[in-house]
Amino acid sequence: MSNELIQNHSNELVETLNQNGGVDKLLKPLIREIHLFDTYIAGTTHLKDPSILLQLNPQESLKLVREQNQFDPNAIVVLDSSNKKLGYIPEKNNIVFSRLMDAGKALSAKIKSIQKKKSFMDVRISIYLVDF
């Protein structure tokens, strides 16, 4: 079985458990979040509905998902808890994280701060390795 197929099945299993509250209930005592890096969400000015950013809260958990992207082979999309796209991990920061995810490691993010700038929202996040 290819690594990509295994990764897809793994992601589907985790997503199914997440939707049913199973992962949190079953594994919460066994999960450690290891802080890896602080960055920002790139591409927020390209959102169809930027008002979604106004609904975010500090310390809110976010999902990181690999994306097939013609412009960036290491693209990682950032989703809120409702699976709404917020943007991307910046291209300059995503190589190591995409490799970890491709190797089957689970990564997540949490919002550090949200600040309105002149023409965009600056959403700072922390990236974590979810260690089971």
Side-chain angles (χ1 to χ4, degrees), residues 58-69:
Q59 293 303 309
E60 184 173 335
S61 294
L62 304 173
K63 299 175 187 177
L64 302 179
V65 178
R66 289 283 277 127
E67 179 182 81
Q68 295 294 323
N69 186 306

Side-chain angles (χ1 to χ4, degrees), residues 6 15-16 22 28 40 43 47-48 51 53 65-66 68-69 72 75 77-78 94 96 122 127:
I6 292 170
E15 185 63 31
T16 300
K28 191 68 170 175
Y40 61 95
L47 294 174
K48 291 178 182 173
S51 69
L53 299 173
V65 178
R66 289 283 277 127
Q68 295 294 323
N69 186 306
D72 180 7
V77 68
V78 181
N94 68 10
V96 171
D122 181 23
I127 298 175

Side-chain angles (χ1 to χ4, degrees), residues 69-93:
N69 186 306
Q70 66 181 359
F71 302 108
D72 180 7
N74 299 308
I76 301 171
V77 68
V78 181
L79 305 172
D80 71 1
S81 59
S82 301
N83 291 324
K84 294 179 185 165
K85 186 177 190 175
L86 304 175
Y88 293 89
I89 299 299
E91 186 173 3
K92 67 181 181 181
N93 301 132

Side-chain angles (χ1 to χ4, degrees), residues 4-130:
E4 185 176 342
L5 185 59
I6 292 170
Q7 180 65 39
N8 288 341
H9 286 294
S10 175
N11 288 343
E12 290 174 15
L13 175 60
V14 169
E15 185 63 31
T16 300
L17 287 171
N18 275 334
Q19 291 173 352
N20 296 316
V23 168
D24 286 345
K25 290 179 183 174
L26 180 65
L27 297 178
K28 191 68 170 175
L30 306 174
I31 295 175
R32 283 188 320 153
E33 292 179 327
I34 301 167
H35 180 259
L36 298 177
F37 193 71
D38 291 333
T39 189
Y40 61 95
I41 299 177
T44 57
T45 57
H46 301 292
L47 294 174
K48 291 178 182 173
D49 181 13
S51 69
I52 188 172
L53 299 173
L54 299 172
Q55 300 168 19
L56 299 175
N57 298 302
Q59 293 303 309
E60 184 173 335
S61 294
L62 304 173
K63 299 175 187 177
L64 302 179
V65 178
R66 289 283 277 127
E67 179 182 81
Q68 295 294 323
N69 186 306
Q70 66 181 359
F71 302 108
D72 180 7
N74 299 308
I76 301 171
V77 68
V78 181
L79 305 172
D80 71 1
S81 59
S82 301
N83 291 324
K84 294 179 185 165
K85 186 177 190 175
L86 304 175
Y88 293 89
I89 299 299
E91 186 173 3
K92 67 181 181 181
N93 301 132
N94 68 10
I95 295 171
V96 171
F97 303 121
S98 65
R99 288 182 181 169
L100 284 169
M101 293 176 82
D102 291 347
K105 302 298 181 187
L107 300 182
S108 68
K110 287 186 183 173
I111 296 174
K112 285 185 64 171
S113 67
I114 306 162
Q115 203 172 35
K116 174 77 171 140
K117 300 286 182 164
K118 290 181 182 179
S119 62
F120 69 98
M121 295 291 287
D122 181 23
V123 183
R124 299 287 166 159
I125 62 173
S126 295
I127 298 175
Y128 296 89
L129 172 68
V130 181

